[in-house]
């Protein structure tokens, strides 16, 4: 007897109660078993004749006909995801007789590697011997012909014509398209199993995953009459599959390649969109990887190489990478100040090398140690004066800054048609209280106003933000799908329209900001002046440099002595032409140092490439 | 021999039935897989390992089991929560917890932890339980059940709630409360429907009208009914089932293996198989009847009921009596995780059985 409450328990009564209940349970078990027995008698005795008849006539085998997967094109009709014919040699063990012997004899006419055999044995394991299992995939035409000559010697061995997904441009689109891969148990639970009977692969990432339903199509089936050995005698009926819809993306092959070329060996991301309608023209994340090996199941060694690579090629920086936006958000800080009346376009101030909040000894330093001297708002943006914006931020306050950042889509997902998008972060008093349980400090407002501290944004968000400015508040919804075929008339992407209007109290403020952004490039002291040479169109831009690690108050930042992985990220956002914007982009070069030096020239190459053609 | 079994705490009746079913399963697998010896070997190894685990559990004294109960229950409940939260990012179901080398399903272990916990809860309380105790016990059942239901895993949710509710019933809950709860449950059905996943709803719909889905679950039911019915009284003989050998039966080595059995061995075979299962159930009840204290009594009876539920739901679904929920035929279906759970259950039954023996000496 264990426990302390036992004194209160009436052991005998409890036992009697238990016995009675157990008896009830026994009756339940007996009843339920009776039910099963009755059911079995019903099936196996009463209705047995009918079912035997059905079984005898059950010569009809239904097999699924998987639909061909939809193709994917770029905006100009270049095929960027295709289906190639692929022949595979398959064995149905129950019909093949001695398996080892069959394989040995097959090896005399067709190259079969040890690896193929191992793969086959692995697939065969846990599978019915009646099912045909692939032994060699990707046979050449000659091999197919060779086998056909000898096929009578190999009962149970067949050649199956299937199709195989191929990405002709390899690493160029890996972060846009994603890739397909073998269906696993977990995948099966997010799709309609019946429709995937007969399908071997589905979209694992990227567009291939997001539009899986469109791309896959509807599985058909055919019924065949089979003989007592299970061999097909004749085809009875067939419901053909309806193929998946092909997609036309907004992406531009040429621009995508230009962007990758311009980035060179750098790691980072580029997102370019058409500000008018949100069509994503280029979406690059570097380093990239070739998605083709994933289709047939990448070897675990190759996968480990990609996964454990410290440059993280599998990570989609363009939509999942969260970086401090740095000075690229100074336009928004300026707008918040203009709207709040804490500054005007003409108000001048002396921007020294550092800034101090009243009654606070801490020095908030400018990136330029000597300061920028007397500047107005336009100069402050063009030369990227930190001190000017520290002062403006201090006067405007986080409660007016954060909402302005959010109106431009920072801190929330853009709703782009790719899986796994990150939301970034716009800090606020309430957020800090909730996250850290601490109050907000005025100094944090200063840091946030120049895109550092807690601020985080994705390259895609920055591109969209720039498009909002280009369109003077008429914010587009970034998207990759242009239309489906067939799908009636070209269906524009309107499913979850994130188009939003940003209304300013004074629309003139748009002009002032855009004017300042042009000065970033054209002004002799502008931080983006390096790309001024020989410009054929008016570019509005903004450079940014985002800190990878925090400097102490009096610490010096010296790029030369700093290890590369601690160096600042270089950013550039911009759009062109100013009169009628047709491209807005964000470039981020990881550890690239100054935005004006590294990122701006890349942006110019991309803008030039686009505008020369449009 | 007798004394060896005795020293190892092994109950000869249970052991015979288990070995009988295991052997039966391997013969059946050989036929269902079209003579794939590889599958049979793997199942044999799995069965042997599960048997060893059962023997190890049988050596645990029930008081130790009793002491560890809350710890076991709450750590598994926590793991369930972790799986739910971590898995919420993907659209599909998430049941596996992956800790480096080990990958396991906490919901599977819940099938044992649940009856342990509810039995533990009632062990030292006055029975029949008062209203408050019943409510708390119900909450203990409902928590993990809801999480597993959300995973979504209808079959497992069904099994563990059966286990928990059996204990509450055995503890002596009033009939009036039972009837009221049942009425409440029926009223809650529409709510349940609302929270079901699309594929679960489709399964129920297919159950109502199998012909509506010729490639999916409906096809399973039609084909397995044909297999069972055409088996008739004497069956078509081992390796001679046309439905099986011509591959009309889907998932014939796992959830639908009973159809293979019915086709090849007929009604007589089926009744014999039922007898083996019932033998285990009756022996389990007998062990519960004779157990030494409340904890052991409740636990033994509810573990037995889980086993019976496995059996009932699987045969019910294969014969078209219940919707297809994905519950294997215990000790026979190909696969490992449920086999381990069931054997651990038997280990506990044997441990309880031998404690009685020790005390009565």
């Amino acid at each position: 007897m264990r426990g302390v409450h036992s004194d209160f328990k009436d052991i005998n009564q409890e036992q009697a109660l238990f016995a009675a209940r157990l008896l009830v349970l026994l009756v339940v078990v007996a009843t339920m078993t009776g039910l099963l027995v009755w059911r079995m008698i019903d099936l196996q005795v009463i209705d047995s004749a009918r079912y035997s008849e059905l079984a005898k006539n059950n010569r009809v085998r239904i097999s699924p006909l998987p639909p061909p997967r939809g193709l994917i094109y770029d905006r100009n009709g270049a095929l960027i995801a295709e289906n190639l014919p692929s022949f595979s040699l398959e064995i149905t063990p129950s019909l093949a007789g001695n398996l080892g012997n069959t394989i040995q004899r097959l090896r005399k006419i067709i190259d079969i590697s040890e690896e193929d055999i191992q793969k086959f044995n692995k697939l065969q394991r846990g599978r019915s011997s009646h099912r045909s299992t692939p032994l060699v995939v990707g046979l050449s035409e000659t091999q197919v012909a060779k086998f056909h000559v000898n096929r009578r010697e190999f009962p149970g061995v067949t050649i199956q014509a299937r199709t195989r997904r191929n990405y002709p441009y390899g690493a160029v689109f890996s972060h846009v398209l994603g890739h397909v891969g073998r269906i696993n148990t977990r995948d099966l639970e997010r799709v309609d199993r019946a429709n995937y009977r007969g399908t071997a692969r589905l979209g694992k990432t990227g567009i291939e995953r997001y539009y899986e339903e469109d791309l896959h199509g509807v599985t058909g089936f055919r019924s065949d009459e089979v003989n007592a050995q299970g061999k097909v005698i004749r085809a009875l009926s067939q419901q053909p599959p309806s193929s998946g819809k092909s997609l036309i993306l907004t992406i531009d092959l040429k621009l995508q390649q230009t962007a990758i070329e311009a980035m060179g060996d750098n790691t980072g991301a580029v997102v370019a969109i058409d500000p008018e309608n949100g069509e994503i023209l280029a979406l690059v994340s570097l380093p990239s990887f070739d998605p083709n090996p994933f289709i047939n199941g990448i070897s675990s060694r190759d996968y480990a190489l990609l996964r454990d690579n410290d440059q993280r090629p599998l990570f989609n920086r363009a939509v999942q990478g969260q970086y401090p936006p740095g000075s690229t958000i100074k336009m928004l800080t300026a707008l918040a100040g203009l709207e709040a009346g804490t500054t005007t376009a003409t108000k001048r101030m002396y921007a020294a090398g550092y800034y101090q909040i009243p009654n606070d000894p801490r020095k908030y330093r400018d990136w330029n140690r000597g300061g920028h001297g007397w500047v107005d708002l336009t100069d402050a943006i063009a030369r990227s004066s930190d001190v000017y914006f520290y002062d403006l931020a201090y006067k405007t306050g986080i409660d007016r800054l954060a909402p302005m950042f959010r109106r431009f889509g920072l801190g929330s997902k853009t709703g782009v048609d790719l899986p796994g998008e990150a939301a970034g972060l716009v800090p606020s008093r309430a957020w800090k209280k909730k996250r850290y349980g601490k109050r907000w400090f005025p100094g944090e407002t200063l840091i946030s106003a120049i895109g550092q501290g807690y601020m985080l944004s994705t390259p895609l968000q920055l591109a969209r933000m720039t498009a909002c400015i280009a369109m003077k508040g008429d914010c587009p919804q970034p998207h990759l799908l242009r239309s489906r075929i067939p799908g009636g008339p070209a269906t524009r992407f309107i499913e979850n329209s994130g188009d939003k209007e940003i209304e300013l109290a004074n629309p003139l403020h748009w002009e002032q900001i855009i004017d300042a952004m042009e000065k970033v490039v054209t002004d002799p002291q502008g931080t983006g002046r390096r790309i001024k040479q020989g410009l054929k169109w008016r570019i509005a831009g903004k450079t940014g440099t985002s800190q990878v690690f925090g400097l102490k108050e009096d610490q010096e930042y010296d790029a030369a002595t700093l290890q590369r992985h601690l160096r600042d990220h270089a950013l550039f956002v911009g759009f062109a032409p100013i009169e009628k914007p047709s491209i807005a982009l964000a470039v981020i070069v990881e550890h690239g140092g100054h935005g004006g030096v590294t990122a701006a020239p890349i942006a110019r190459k991309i803008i030039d490439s686009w505008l020369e053609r449009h | 021999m007798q004394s060896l079994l005795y020293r190892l705490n092994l109950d000869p009746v249970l052991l015979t039935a288990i070995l009988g079913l295991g052997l039966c399963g391997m013969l059946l697998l050989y036929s269902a897989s079209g003579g794939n010896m590889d599958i049979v070997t793997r199942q044999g190894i799995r069965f042997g390992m599960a048997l060893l685990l059962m023997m190890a559990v049988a050596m645990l004294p029930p008081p130790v089991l009793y002491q560890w109960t809350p710890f076991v229950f709450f750590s598994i409940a926590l793991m369930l929560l972790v799986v739910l939260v971590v898995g919420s990012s993907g659209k599909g179901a998430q049941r596996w917890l992956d800790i480096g080398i080990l990958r396991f399903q906490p919901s599977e272990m819940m099938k044992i932890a649940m009856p342990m916990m509810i039995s533990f809860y009632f062990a030292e309380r006055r029975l029949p339980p008062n209203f408050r105790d019943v409510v708390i016990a119900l909450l203990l059942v409902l928590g993990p059940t809801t999480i597993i239901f959300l995973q979504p895993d209808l079959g497992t949710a069904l099994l563990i709630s059966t286990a928990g509710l059996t204990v509450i019933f055995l503890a002596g809950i009033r009939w009036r409360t039972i009837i009221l709860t049942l009425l409440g449950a029926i009223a809650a059905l529409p709510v349940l429907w609302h929270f079901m996943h699309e594929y679960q709803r489709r399964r129920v719909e297919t159950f109502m009208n199998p012909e509506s889905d010729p490639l999916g679950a409906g096809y399973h039911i039609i084909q397995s009914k044909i297999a069972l019915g055409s088996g008739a009284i004497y069956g078509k003989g081992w390796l001679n089932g046309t439905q099986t050998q011509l591959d009309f039966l889907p998932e014939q080595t796992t959830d639908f293996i009973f159809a293979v059995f019915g086709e090849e061995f007929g009604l007589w075979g089926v009744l014999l198989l039922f007898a083996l299962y019932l033998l285990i159930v009756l022996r389990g009840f007998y062990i519960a009847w004779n157990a030494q204290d409340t904890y052991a009594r409740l636990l033994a009876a509810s573990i037995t009921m889980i086993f019976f539920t496995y059996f009932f739901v699987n045969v019910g679904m294969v014969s078209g009596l219940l919707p297809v929920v994905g519950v294997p035929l215990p000790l026979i279906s190909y696969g490992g995780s449920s086999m381990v759970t069931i054997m651990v259950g038997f280990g506990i039954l044997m441990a309880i059985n031998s404690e009685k023996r020790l005390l009565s000496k």
Side-chain angles (χ1 to χ4, degrees), chain A residues 2 9 39 58 61 125, chain B residues 38 123 173 243 246 293 319:
Chain A
R2 47 180 100 98
K9 288 162 72 96
R39 177 67 177 172
N58 205 355
R61 176 176 304 174
R125 206 168 287 158
Chain B
D38 204 35
I173 177 177
Q243 286 288 100
L246 296 184
D293 54 36
S319 61

Side-chain angles (χ1 to χ4, degrees), chain A residues 378-591:
Chain A
T378 306
D379 302 327
I381 289 179
R383 301 175 201 172
S384 205
S385 160
D386 288 338
V387 166
Y388 185 93
F389 285 99
Y390 288 149
D391 182 59
L392 184 56
Y394 179 68
K395 287 174 179 152
T396 311
I398 190 70
D399 297 336
R400 287 191 280 201
L401 281 176
M404 182 60 82
F405 295 160
R406 274 194 219 103
R407 285 170 79 183
F408 280 83
L410 302 185
S412 56
K413 296 180 181 178
T414 64
V416 71
D417 38 356
L418 281 177
E421 190 188 3
L425 179 66
V426 172
S428 66
R429 282 179 212 278
W431 169 82
K432 195 183 174 198
K433 190 86 200 159
K434 203 173 147 211
R435 177 78 173 73
Y436 293 104
K438 285 188 186 140
R439 71 181 183 86
W440 184 262
F441 296 111
E444 290 169 339
T445 307
L446 272 50
I447 301 298
S448 302
I450 62 159
Q452 305 283 355
Y454 301 121
M455 286 289 298
L456 288 176
S457 54
T458 66
L460 177 63
Q461 284 176 328
L462 292 181
R464 179 176 184 269
M465 170 194 88
T466 312
C468 292
I469 298 173
M471 298 310 294
K472 296 175 187 155
D474 190 4
C475 286
Q477 159 73 53
H479 61 273
L480 280 160
L481 180 67
R482 209 167 190 216
S483 61
R484 302 175 170 89
I485 22 177
T491 41
R492 262 281 319 276
F493 181 88
I494 41 165
E495 278 82 347
N496 55 350
S497 178
D499 294 22
K500 277 186 200 90
E501 194 83 32
I502 299 173
E503 300 232 22
L504 293 186
N506 183 353
L508 213 62
H509 293 154
W510 289 118
E511 316 296 337
Q512 288 159 357
I513 294 299
I514 293 170
D515 179 49
M517 284 175 78
E518 186 174 15
K519 293 263 167 42
V520 169
V521 179
T522 56
D523 192 280
Q525 290 187 66
T527 51
R529 60 184 180 275
R530 265 162 230 263
I531 61 167
K532 186 169 59 174
Q533 219 71 56
L535 264 190
K536 280 177 269 178
W537 18 73
R538 292 169 64 201
I539 296 182
K542 181 73 194 81
T543 61
T545 304
S546 91
Q547 281 175 13
V548 175
F549 81 124
L551 286 177
K552 296 215 183 70
E553 190 181 340
D554 285 316
Q555 217 174 342
E556 284 299 322
Y557 178 86
D558 182 0
T561 62
L562 212 56
Q563 281 177 294
R564 182 171 170 84
H565 71 274
L566 295 177
R567 272 201 345 232
D568 293 342
H569 295 323
L571 287 86
F572 186 85
V573 301
F575 63 90
I578 289 176
E579 312 79 65
K580 192 180 182 307
S582 71
I583 181 170
L585 50 58
V587 175
I588 178 154
V589 181
E590 290 182 352
H591 316 299

Side-chain angles (χ1 to χ4, degrees), chain A residues 16 119 174 216 223 243 344 359 487 569 596 610:
Chain A
K119 239 185 188 168
S174 51
H216 181 267
S223 20
S243 61
T344 65
N359 307 319
H569 295 323
W610 181 250

Side-chain angles (χ1 to χ4, degrees), chain B residues 89-347:
Chain B
S89 55
K91 264 198 241 164
Q94 182 99 7
R95 299 167 190 174
W96 298 89
L97 194 60
D98 202 341
I99 46 167
I101 39 167
L102 258 176
R103 226 165 73 93
F104 55 95
Q105 275 178 297
S107 57
E108 196 56 47
M109 296 187 286
M110 204 46 160
K111 289 177 191 161
I112 297 296
M114 174 61 76
M116 279 171 73
M117 185 62 205
I118 311 298
S119 305
F120 175 89
Y121 185 75
F122 285 125
E124 303 302 342
R125 288 185 163 71
R126 263 186 93 132
L127 300 180
N130 59 30
F131 182 70
R132 189 177 144 267
D133 285 344
V134 170
V135 170
I136 292 178
L138 274 177
L139 287 178
L140 284 172
V141 177
L142 223 58
T145 307
T146 313
I147 297 177
I148 293 171
F149 181 75
L150 289 176
Q151 281 184 347
D153 185 348
L154 206 60
T156 307
L158 193 77
L159 285 167
I160 71 153
S161 55
T162 307
L165 294 177
T166 305
V167 182
I168 299 178
F169 173 75
L170 288 170
I173 177 177
R174 276 179 190 79
W175 283 106
R176 209 182 43 168
T177 324
I178 297 175
I179 291 164
L180 282 177
T181 318
L182 274 181
L183 289 178
I186 291 168
L189 275 182
V191 183
L192 189 74
W193 178 261
H194 177 77
F195 281 106
M196 273 208 241
H197 273 245
E198 194 50 43
Y199 80 92
Q200 291 174 328
R201 286 188 197 173
R202 202 168 306 124
R203 275 188 192 170
V204 177
E205 281 165 359
T206 318
F207 168 64
M208 304 293 183
N209 180 18
E211 278 75 17
S212 70
D213 179 19
L215 272 181
Y219 178 73
H220 292 201
I221 297 172
I222 296 170
Q223 293 300 336
S224 74
K225 272 161 74 176
I226 295 178
L228 288 172
S230 64
I233 298 180
Y234 299 108
K236 299 175 187 169
W238 188 51
L239 299 182
N240 282 326
T242 52
Q243 286 288 100
T244 307
Q245 303 306 331
L246 296 184
D247 209 18
F248 285 114
L249 273 175
E251 295 178 44
Q252 57 188 19
T253 58
T254 53
D255 288 357
F256 279 76
I257 199 166
F258 178 71
V260 178
F261 187 88
E263 182 180 27
E264 299 193 342
F265 297 100
L267 184 64
W268 286 118
V270 166
L271 291 180
L272 206 70
L273 189 78
F274 282 14
L276 269 180
Y277 278 109
L278 273 189
L279 179 65
I280 291 180
V281 172
L282 290 178
R283 187 64 181 174
F285 280 172
Y286 172 79
I287 289 171
W289 182 289
N290 272 313
Q292 280 310 297
D293 54 36
T294 313
Y295 176 71
R297 242 189 323 258
L298 294 175
L299 184 55
S302 60
I303 285 176
T304 309
M305 268 314 273
I306 294 190
F307 181 75
F308 178 74
T309 311
Y310 258 111
F311 162 74
F312 179 77
V313 173
N314 180 272
V315 174
M317 99 189 176
V318 173
S319 61
L321 215 52
L322 299 172
V324 178
V325 283
V327 169
L329 187 64
L331 296 175
I332 290 190
S333 282
Y334 179 72
S337 48
S338 72
M339 168 108 71
V340 169
T341 316
I342 289 163
M343 289 296 215
V344 168
F346 287 142

Side-chain angles (χ1 to χ4, degrees), chain A residues 270-443:
Chain A
V270 174
V271 177
I273 67 181
D274 182 337
E276 194 123 21
N277 51 24
E279 293 185 345
I280 296 178
L281 307 172
L283 187 141
V284 170
S285 170
L286 293 170
S288 190
F289 63 96
D290 183 3
N292 285 306
F294 283 85
I295 297 169
N296 273 321
I298 189 168
S299 74
S300 50
R301 208 195 51 195
D302 290 347
Y303 182 67
L305 275 178
L306 284 173
R307 187 195 51 204
D308 302 335
N309 186 325
D310 54 7
Q311 298 203 328
R312 303 179 67 197
L314 297 176
F315 182 60
N316 191 345
R317 290 161 163 83
V319 296
Q320 298 174 319
Q322 305 188 88
Y323 303 89
S327 304
T328 57
I329 64 156
K330 280 180 181 163
M331 286 85 77
L332 309 193
T333 307
L335 275 178
L338 286 170
E339 290 284 291
T342 45
T343 190
T344 65
T346 50
K347 195 164 133 190
R348 290 164 69 82
M349 87 169 258
Y350 187 82
Y354 62 88
Y355 181 78
Q356 276 176 307
I357 298 173
N359 307 319
D360 183 352
R362 195 189 145 120
K363 289 176 177 170
Y364 293 89
R365 295 191 170 276
D366 197 287
W367 63 272
N368 189 346
R369 289 182 63 202
H372 300 274
W374 283 99
V375 290
D376 64 8
L377 185 64
T378 306
D379 302 327
I381 289 179
R383 301 175 201 172
S384 205
S385 160
D386 288 338
V387 166
Y388 185 93
F389 285 99
Y390 288 149
D391 182 59
L392 184 56
Y394 179 68
K395 287 174 179 152
T396 311
I398 190 70
D399 297 336
R400 287 191 280 201
L401 281 176
M404 182 60 82
F405 295 160
R406 274 194 219 103
R407 285 170 79 183
F408 280 83
L410 302 185
S412 56
K413 296 180 181 178
T414 64
V416 71
D417 38 356
L418 281 177
E421 190 188 3
L425 179 66
V426 172
S428 66
R429 282 179 212 278
W431 169 82
K432 195 183 174 198
K433 190 86 200 159
K434 203 173 147 211
R435 177 78 173 73
Y436 293 104
K438 285 188 186 140
R439 71 181 183 86
W440 184 262
F441 296 111

Side-chain angles (χ1 to χ4, degrees), chain A residues 178-190:
Chain A
H179 56 78
V180 297
R182 283 232 170 86
I183 298 178
N184 60 35
T185 342
R186 207 179 290 172
D187 294 326
L188 271 182
E189 275 157 359
R190 71 177 158 95

Side-chain angles (χ1 to χ4, degrees), chain A residues 1-6 8-11 13-15 17-19 21-26 28-30 32-33 35-41 43-45 47-49 51-56 58-64 94 121 124-131 186 189-194 197 209 219-221 226-231, chain B residues 33-36 38-39 42 63 66 91-95 103 122-128 166 169-173 175 202 213-216 219-220 223 225-226 228-230 232-233 236 243-248 258 262 266-267 270-271 274 278 281-282 285 288-289 293-295 297-298 301 305 308 311-312 315-316 319-321 334 355:
Chain A
M1 215 49 44
R2 47 180 100 98
V4 282
H5 300 289
S6 306
F8 301 104
K9 288 162 72 96
D10 182 339
I11 302 301
Q13 191 211 320
E14 231 172 68
Q15 239 165 0
L17 178 69
F18 178 78
R21 286 297 162 103
L22 200 59
L23 210 63
V24 174
L25 223 51
L26 203 62
V28 170
V29 165
M32 287 165 94
T33 311
L35 202 65
L36 291 182
V37 170
W38 167 77
R39 177 67 177 172
M40 295 314 296
I41 292 175
L43 285 172
Q44 302 197 293
V45 180
D47 273 347
S48 153
Y51 284 117
S52 297
E53 196 59 30
L54 277 174
K56 238 174 259 156
N58 205 355
R59 290 285 157 75
V60 180
R61 176 176 304 174
I62 297 175
S63 20
S94 63
N121 285 333
Q124 230 279 294
R125 206 168 287 158
R127 224 175 157 181
S128 162
S129 310
H130 303 302
R131 278 232 210 125
R186 207 179 290 172
E189 275 157 359
R190 71 177 158 95
V191 297
D192 177 4
R193 265 171 195 254
R197 202 168 288 279
R209 176 172 181 148
T219 300
F221 46 91
V226 294
N227 67 10
Q229 279 77 46
K231 274 195 182 142
Chain B
S33 65
N36 188 340
D38 204 35
I39 287 191
R42 283 151 66 92
Y66 176 82
K91 264 198 241 164
Q94 182 99 7
R95 299 167 190 174
R103 226 165 73 93
F122 285 125
E124 303 302 342
R125 288 185 163 71
R126 263 186 93 132
L127 300 180
T166 305
F169 173 75
L170 288 170
I173 177 177
W175 283 106
R202 202 168 306 124
D213 179 19
L215 272 181
Y219 178 73
H220 292 201
Q223 293 300 336
K225 272 161 74 176
I226 295 178
L228 288 172
S230 64
I233 298 180
K236 299 175 187 169
Q243 286 288 100
T244 307
Q245 303 306 331
L246 296 184
D247 209 18
F248 285 114
F258 178 71
L267 184 64
V270 166
L271 291 180
F274 282 14
L278 273 189
V281 172
L282 290 178
F285 280 172
W289 182 289
D293 54 36
T294 313
Y295 176 71
R297 242 189 323 258
L298 294 175
M305 268 314 273
F308 178 74
F311 162 74
F312 179 77
V315 174
S319 61
L321 215 52
Y334 179 72
E355 190 199 29

